[in-house]
């Protein structure tokens, strides 16, 4: 046995251990997040249909308001991981603190906008006259928890950069349990109705933020990092986040266009489309967990001036992405007779759903590569390229998707357009990783 194959196997095993150690807890934390809305829906649903409809509108607004700031997690992970790789833990924690201060400022700004405009926002989303008051109540109260939600994002990014995905998992589980208990107690025990659900969620979110802040403060004191706001550091975090914000908005535009096209196809198609989107989101959690591991690992290697280690880790994570995508695709095909009836008993919806679902299954290996390379380039701090690549993808996808109804295509044709979108994303990301231009080493990019 030659030395080279032995070294290669040992390297793969090392990368595998790192990926699993980071990705598995990250997956658990990702799955816990949407459970907040599910718990709220289950509890509020027993109050009545108008209350549940109001919750649906308010939850959609809150999700949109918070999701555009996901760069707080992504940019912080990359910046912190680089400093960890460089061996400067004090600076790494300081970077995380800057991200948290940025989250506080953004959260306060969102509250200032949301509180006075809540009724207008609810009407903009088309809430009925009976649901609108409940949606406004829930939105106004829940908006008070937005700073805590953004702190959780930034602190999660900091801990991921520190190669810790277990703490976010524990905090997410604790927050989910507290949210359920508080909602039940305040909605029914205290008789506060939908307002009780909102307050329960806010309290749980504040508790999660407090748990994260405790961990960060302890780390800062241990390593002598300052906790005071630093204008230069906060501005640097905001500057790094702008390209990722463009990327996120472009991706959301893709999803909104797809939903709008599905709605034009008819009620049966939009119903089937919503089911597929739910499954797509669930599968994305599994693939995003590998991407999160990629952000932390790549950032650390580049911070340690180990470009070859970063390249090897990238290759191994791509293999993981492909394997995970194949497994998910096969699972969709084999399990579809079991889970499709759980979503709908309407035979017309099922008949529309199945061909599109097969398209989704076929493109899962592509999705696996896309998620991994997205995470790799985020970990490298290559946000500007990610923004440009996503804008190119949007420019290709939008006209193709919008032409689907004109050419008499159905839901399967729309999802072939989504497959094209993922293929374009894969091509742009693959070209970048092949070029090696993302391999910028050092404690800062």
């Amino acid at each position: 046995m030659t030395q080279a194959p032995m070294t290669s196997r040992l390297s793969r095993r090392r990368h595998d251990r790192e990926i699993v150690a980071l990705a598995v807890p990250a997956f658990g934390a990702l799955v816990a997040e949407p459970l907040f809305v599910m718990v709220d829906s289950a509890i509020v649903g027993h109050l009545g249909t108008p209350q549940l409809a109001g919750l649906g509108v308010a939850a959609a607004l809150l999700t949109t308001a918070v999701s555009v700031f996901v760069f707080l997690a992504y940019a912080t992970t990359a910046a912190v991981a680089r400093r960890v790789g460089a061996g400067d833990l004090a600076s790494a924690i300081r970077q995380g603190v800057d991200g948290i201060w940025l989250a506080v400022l953004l959260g306060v700004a969102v509250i200032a906008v949301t509180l006075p405009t809540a009724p207008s926002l609810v009407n903009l989303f088309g809430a009925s006259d009976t649901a609108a008051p409940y949606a406004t109540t829930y939105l106004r109260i829940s908006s008070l928890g937005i700073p805590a939600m953004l702190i959780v994002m930034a602190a999660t990014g900091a801990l991921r950069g520190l190669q810790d995905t277990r703490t976010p998992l524990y905090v997410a589980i604790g927050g989910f349990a507290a949210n359920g208990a508080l909602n039940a107690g305040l909605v029914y025990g205290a008789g506060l109705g939908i307002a009780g659900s909102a307050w329960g969620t806010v309290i749980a979110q504040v508790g999660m933020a407090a748990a994260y802040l405790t961990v960060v403060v302890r780390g800062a004191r241990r390593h002598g990092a300052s906790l005071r706001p630093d204008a230069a550091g906060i501005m640097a975090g905001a500057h790094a986040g702008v390209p990722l914000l463009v990327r996120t908005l472009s991706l959301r535009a893709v999803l909104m266009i797809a939903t709008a096209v599905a709605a034009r196809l008819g009620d049966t198609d939009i119903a089937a489309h919503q089911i597929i989107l739910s499954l797509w989101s669930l599968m994305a959690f599994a693939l995003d967990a590998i991407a999160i591991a990629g952000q932390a690992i790549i950032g650390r290697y580049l911070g340690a001036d180990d470009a070859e280690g970063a390249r090897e880790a990238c290759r191994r994570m791509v293999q993981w992405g492909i394997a995970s995508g194949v497994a998910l695709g096969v699972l969709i095909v084999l399990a579809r007779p079991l889970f499709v009836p759980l979503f709908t008993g309407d035979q017309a919806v099922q008949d529309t759903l199945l061909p599109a679902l097969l398209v989704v299954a076929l493109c899962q290996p592509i999705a696996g590569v896309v998620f991994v390379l997205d995470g790799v380039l985020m970990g490298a701090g290559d946000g500007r390229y990610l923004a440009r690549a996503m804008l190119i993808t949007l420019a290709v996808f939008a006209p193709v998707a919008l032409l689907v109804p004109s050419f008499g295509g159905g839901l399967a044709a729309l999802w072939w357009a989504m497959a094209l979108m993922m293929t374009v994303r894969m091509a742009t990301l693959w070209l970048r990783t092949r070029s090696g231009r993302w391999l910028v080493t050092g404690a800062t990019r």
Side-chain angles (χ1 to χ4, degrees):
M1 183 179 297
T2 62
Q3 185 67 28
M6 176 65 75
T7 303
S8 178
R9 279 197 294 272
L10 290 175
S11 177
R12 286 198 300 270
R13 289 175 184 173
R14 183 179 75 253
H15 291 312
D16 289 347
R17 286 194 297 269
E18 288 181 329
I19 293 168
V20 171
L22 291 170
V24 172
F27 175 71
L30 289 169
V31 171
E33 290 175 9
L35 293 180
F36 271 78
V37 176
M38 290 179 63
V39 168
D40 288 3
S41 299
I43 293 174
V44 171
H46 291 286
L47 295 174
T49 299
Q51 289 91 332
L52 184 59
L55 172 64
V57 171
L61 284 164
L62 287 165
T63 300
T64 300
V66 173
S67 64
V68 297
F69 297 116
V70 73
F71 68 83
L72 288 167
Y74 294 158
T76 304
T77 296
V80 171
R82 276 184 175 270
R83 287 160 176 79
V84 169
D88 189 354
L89 287 179
S91 178
I93 294 172
R94 175 67 249 185
Q95 190 73 34
V97 171
D98 290 338
I100 290 172
W101 278 113
L102 177 59
V104 172
L105 294 175
L106 291 173
V108 171
V110 173
I111 288 179
V113 172
T114 305
L115 284 178
T117 62
S120 299
L121 291 171
V122 167
N123 289 331
L124 185 64
F125 264 59
S128 66
D129 291 340
T130 55
Y134 297 111
T136 302
T137 297
Y138 191 93
L139 180 60
R140 279 181 165 158
I141 296 173
S142 293
S143 68
L144 300 177
I146 287 178
M149 295 168 72
L150 298 187
I151 288 172
V152 167
M153 274 190 183
T156 299
L159 292 178
R160 288 172 180 169
L162 291 166
Q163 317 297 297
D164 176 9
T165 55
R166 290 183 179 273
T167 299
L169 172 61
Y170 300 148
V171 173
I173 292 173
F176 169 67
N179 182 58
L182 286 166
N183 269 259
L186 294 174
V187 171
Y188 299 116
L192 296 179
I194 195 169
S197 176
W199 280 116
T201 300
V202 169
I203 294 169
Q205 290 163 349
V206 170
M208 292 172 67
Y212 275 116
L213 291 175
T214 299
V215 174
V216 172
V217 168
R218 285 177 179 172
R221 289 176 176 171
R222 187 181 308 120
H223 296 284
S226 173
L227 293 169
R228 295 179 180 179
D230 176 63
I234 293 172
M235 287 302 297
H239 184 265
V242 169
L244 294 179
L245 175 61
V246 172
R247 167 203 167 272
T248 300
L249 291 175
S250 300
L251 183 56
R252 289 198 68 83
V254 165
L255 298 176
M256 289 174 64
I257 290 171
T259 299
V261 171
R264 289 173 60 189
L265 295 175
D267 290 348
T268 299
D269 293 87
I270 187 61
H273 179 72
Q274 288 303 114
I275 294 172
I276 294 177
L277 277 183
S278 299
L279 293 169
W280 180 276
S281 298
L282 181 60
M283 291 179 291
F285 289 138
L287 299 176
D288 203 26
I290 303 174
I292 287 169
Q295 293 172 33
I297 293 170
I298 295 299
R300 192 189 74 232
Y301 273 115
L302 294 177
D305 294 324
D306 187 356
E308 186 54 37
R311 196 187 294 274
E312 288 181 5
C314 175
R315 282 196 292 264
R316 189 57 178 163
M317 280 183 284
V318 168
Q319 293 170 0
W320 271 77
I322 294 171
S324 299
V326 170
L328 288 172
V330 171
L331 182 62
I332 291 171
V333 173
L334 295 180
R336 71 186 190 282
L338 300 177
F339 65 75
V340 168
L342 296 177
F343 285 97
T344 179
D346 188 324
Q347 189 60 48
V349 174
Q350 290 186 16
D351 292 342
T352 303
L353 173 69
L354 290 177
L357 201 58
L358 292 176
V359 178
V360 173
L362 287 172
C363 75
Q364 283 310 294
I366 296 174
V369 176
V370 167
F371 274 80
V372 166
L373 294 183
D374 206 41
V376 165
L377 295 183
M378 282 184 189
D382 205 6
R384 290 184 180 181
Y385 182 83
L386 288 171
R388 291 196 299 269
M390 199 60 227
L391 286 171
I392 292 171
T393 302
L394 175 61
V396 173
F397 169 77
V400 174
L402 292 172
L403 285 172
V404 166
S406 301
F407 284 91
L411 188 65
L414 174 60
W415 275 93
W416 276 117
M418 288 289 283
L420 171 65
M421 179 271 296
M422 293 300 291
T423 302
V424 173
R425 286 189 73 190
M426 183 178 69
T428 57
L429 298 176
W430 179 80
L431 287 172
R432 185 63 167 183
T433 53
R434 286 279 294 178
S435 73
R437 294 177 183 175
W438 59 282
L439 289 165
V440 180
T441 59
T444 58
R445 183 178 171 85

